[in-house]
Amino acid sequence: MTPTAPASVPPVGLAMGYDPDTDVRAMAEQARTAEERGFSMAFFSETLFTNRDSVTALSAFSTATERVELGTTQVVKLRSPLVMAQTAATLDELSGGRLVLVVGAFTAKHAARNGVPLTDPVTTLREYVETIRALLRGESVTYEGEVVRMDNASLNFTPPRPDIPIWIAAASRKGLLNVGAIGDGVLLDAGASPAYAANAVALVRQGCERAGRDPAGLAVAQLINTSIEDDPAAAVAHMRWEVASKFTYASTPRAKMSVGEPVIDPDDLPGLRAAFERGGKAELARAIPERYVTGLTATGTAADVTARVAAYRAAGVSLPLVRPAAAHQLPYLLDTFGTTTA
């Protein structure tokens, strides 16, 4: 089942989950409103910042909506493959076949926060995807991998869809090539330019060709930070904190530069790091050049943001997942990308 927006509205999704001040009931209501306005997906990001969890949020979204696709990220190794398959199948059952599971790499940051030993991210992703798919097909899985080891594991119920789409969240060159080998789609990270998106899509296609797969069948989604204001300067001000969050770990800009992110100047990184060490994210946000804010996001007036999202589409993004920089901007976002209400 693939719900679609009205023909007059190109596919677009609403991304939620980052704002610690928005509770899950409010997000479920936002998902319902997005569905009413013709959005194609309600997406929940289960992030490193441990706000709300994806299973609870998607359960709420499922009961609040009827047609819109429901997507969520889950980081591998924080749940076992059996638990991830179990919850994915249950959420798909609850939503009537609307789930898209997006698996993210287990990184050193996740290992440190969760007290779980670090393993090779690409190998871990591959073994998780292989075993989750087998479990959803109803197989009894015995698996001896480098990371995943399972003995006669299976689900004790029949999943409504054995082929729940599994997308891969990827930002680095190595991760994007891996998507082409194992994913049904890719989720590109926020805080990146359309030029980065084009380079990332090319790498995914290259990975498909290496694996003998047709890239035409892969979904390409991207989280896009948006800030819509009548005053462009106000839009920039609301977006600074989001861009700053992408520079709190040195690994994040490095990964994007490995793909080809022309907005990021490596000569700027030591100064940004020093600002963060000196005054935390607030100081870092003040130090971020305005060209980073406008170059890595969709920020400005409604017309500016519309044109910017069109640039991501032209770069190969088939499903922009737009996320407002401030709670008061949500109505503007719905008006800009949704259908009019009766």
Side-chain angles (χ1 to χ4, degrees):
M1 177 179 180
T2 306
T4 57
S8 59
V9 180
V12 65
L14 177 64
M16 294 167 278
Y18 275 79
D19 183 359
D21 297 323
T22 302
D23 66 39
V24 73
R25 288 179 181 270
M27 284 188 278
E29 180 62 20
Q30 292 171 6
R32 184 190 64 78
T33 303
E35 178 179 81
E36 292 175 349
R37 300 298 297 274
F39 278 58
S40 301
M41 177 176 281
F43 191 88
F44 180 87
S45 294
E46 188 178 75
T47 74
L48 182 68
F49 302 112
T50 57
N51 291 324
R52 278 87 182 164
D53 84 281
S54 62
V55 179
T56 306
L58 264 288
S59 296
F61 293 7
S62 294
T63 56
T65 61
E66 296 179 353
R67 301 178 307 278
V68 70
E69 276 191 305
L70 303 175
T72 186
T73 45
Q74 289 190 352
V75 175
V76 298
K77 213 175 177 192
L78 301 185
R79 301 174 174 89
S80 72
L82 181 58
V83 170
M84 288 183 75
Q86 181 184 28
T87 55
T90 304
L91 287 169
D92 202 48
E93 182 178 71
L94 178 64
S95 65
R98 294 186 281 141
L99 179 71
V100 174
L101 176 63
V102 184
V103 294
F106 182 74
T107 67
K109 292 173 284 189
H110 295 103
R113 288 199 174 189
N114 291 275
V116 178
L118 181 63
T119 51
D120 178 70
V122 169
T123 300
T124 306
L125 270 175
R126 177 179 53 79
E127 293 185 359
Y128 262 71
V129 170
E130 287 178 358
T131 50
I132 289 170
R133 283 193 172 127
L135 290 162
L136 291 173
R137 289 193 299 265
E139 297 176 16
S140 177
V141 179
T142 296
Y143 192 94
E144 286 292 330
E146 293 181 35
V147 179
V148 175
R149 292 174 175 80
M150 305 176 74
D151 183 15
N152 196 31
S154 62
L155 298 177
N156 196 35
F157 66 103
T158 301
R161 284 193 303 168
D163 55 351
I164 293 172
I166 299 178
W167 299 353
I168 312 300
S172 69
R173 184 179 188 87
K174 189 174 182 181
L176 290 161
L177 289 168
N178 189 44
V179 171
I182 67 172
D184 297 318
V186 63
L187 176 68
L188 304 180
D189 194 14
S193 69
Y196 166 89
N199 292 332
V201 170
L203 285 170
V204 171
R205 290 175 177 161
Q206 184 180 337
C208 285
E209 292 167 3
R210 289 181 180 179
R213 302 177 72 210
D214 183 1
L218 267 66
V220 179
Q222 181 164 11
L223 294 165
I224 300 174
N225 304 123
T226 66
S227 183
I228 303 176
E229 300 284 351
D230 292 334
D231 177 5
V236 169
H238 283 298
M239 183 57 79
R240 279 189 174 277
W241 69 272
E242 180 71 50
V243 175
S245 72
K246 299 299 181 182
F247 291 85
T248 55
Y249 292 97
S251 58
T252 304
R254 280 203 307 266
K256 289 176 180 173
M257 287 189 293
S258 78
V259 174
E261 177 48 87
V263 173
I264 300 175
D265 184 343
D267 291 340
D268 292 335
L269 298 182
L272 296 176
R273 185 66 192 171
F276 180 62
E277 292 173 349
R278 184 170 60 247
K281 195 161 70 173
E283 181 69 21
L284 176 58
R286 286 189 288 270
I288 290 286
E290 185 170 327
R291 71 179 186 277
Y292 280 35
V293 178
T294 56
L296 300 173
T297 70
T299 295
T301 65
D304 294 332
V305 171
T306 299
R308 188 66 168 176
V309 171
Y312 286 99
R313 292 188 192 277
V317 176
S318 55
L319 181 61
L321 298 170
V322 292
R323 186 172 73 227
H328 75 269
Q329 294 179 355
L330 180 60
Y332 307 153
L333 193 65
L334 294 171
D335 287 344
T336 300
F337 293 103
T339 57
T340 57
T341 55

